[in-house]
Amino acid sequence: FKLTKGEFDFIMDIIREENPVKSATATVTKYTKADFLSKVFMTEERYDVLEALLRNKMNIILQGAPGVGKTFAAKKLAYAMMGEVDDSRIELVQFHQNYSYEDFIMGYRPDGADFKLTDGVFYRFCQTAANHPDKEYFFIIDEINRGNMSKIFGELMMLIEKDYRGTKATLAYSGMPFSVPENLYIIGMMNTADRSLAMIDYALRRRFSFFEMEPGFNSEGFRNYQNAFANETFNALIDQIKVLNKEIAEDSSLGRGFRIGHSYFCGREEVGCTTDWMRSVVEFDILPMLSEYWFDEPANLQRWEKNLRGVFDDE
């Protein structure tokens, strides 16, 4: 539709008011690959692969068992790619069975005695990203395989694909054209150890690259973290977990996606590495998980109960 110059200027003023640009004098905290590697226990080679995948495909899913730091890594990856810490350019949501297109894109919501067409979180974030084409934006979806993704994404199944970024399609509710901007990256997280979850829809799978998040026990960052404790019991426990992970990976009924993640043993820099804490991780985190893994193989479970508890019995 046609606009006069005055009408155009008025609309642009409204857009600028709704999407303020950060002041040039605002303090910016730089964030580099080195900062990422110091916090996320991943090798530099794996980081380079991860960043290249996301830049190439624009949509990526971090998959792995609980405890490998998927959500933590996703946000730090966004920082590293932006080159700074800027949470205003990151949006985090979590999918669940009741999550819908109306939550994600737009839909009618109660408004007093009536209903009002309301924008969803992804729609709003796309608009913000489109208003700042010189900046990179990151939309992070936790538990992406818990939702009905064909229902949630709707016509965006095509628009999120890299080759169709910037291409406009008409939205079902508003009847207005909409596109996913070229400066927006989508990072999903998927738990591979939950047998109750359905696999990713094939149509959506084609639009994402899949990156396996591995336990970081052998990364330089974790070795530095471990060595700082100089704790023989902690060293013995980690050695046992590495052996356990090797057995889990070789188990035909489990596999690499069920290995124990390193984050169960992280976050103790300030309070130290105490025996009570290590025991609690083993008794209340690791062994309950193993009892689910080997619910039909009690001999395996009993053997590993003995192995892990034996770390403390040898003190």
Side-chain angles (χ1 to χ4, degrees), residues 17 23 89 93 106 143 154 168 173 192 196 205 217 223 256 280 297:
E17 287 175 6
S23 169
R89 289 193 274 149
V93 300
M106 65 172 55
E143 305 284 4
K168 293 186 179 295
Y173 278 98
T192 54
S196 67
R205 180 174 285 275
F217 297 112
R223 287 197 299 268
R256 294 167 58 86
S280 70
E297 298 182 55

Side-chain angles (χ1 to χ4, degrees), residues 136-155:
E136 294 176 317
Y137 283 74
F138 295 83
F139 194 87
I140 301 174
I141 306 171
D142 195 18
E143 305 284 4
I144 191 169
N145 55 330
R146 286 188 180 275
N148 182 335
M149 283 167 293
S150 296
K151 174 184 174 185
I152 293 170
F153 279 89
E155 60 268 49

Side-chain angles (χ1 to χ4, degrees), residues 68-108:
V68 293
K70 298 183 291 294
T71 306
F72 184 78
K75 198 166 187 180
K76 296 297 185 287
L77 173 63
Y79 290 159
M81 289 178 63
M82 290 189 294
E84 62 182 11
V85 178
D86 186 356
D87 289 326
S88 69
R89 289 193 274 149
I90 299 174
E91 186 72 51
L92 172 65
V93 300
Q94 186 180 73
F95 280 0
H96 51 78
Q97 291 179 344
N98 291 326
Y99 206 86
S100 67
Y101 178 94
E102 288 74 15
D103 300 310
F104 198 59
I105 310 301
M106 65 172 55
Y108 286 96

Side-chain angles (χ1 to χ4, degrees), residues 61-64 70 144-145 188-192 200 205 210:
I61 288 179
L62 307 180
Q63 60 180 2
K70 298 183 291 294
I144 191 169
N145 55 330
M189 281 84 72
M190 187 171 85
N191 179 5
T192 54
I200 291 283
R205 180 174 285 275
F210 286 73

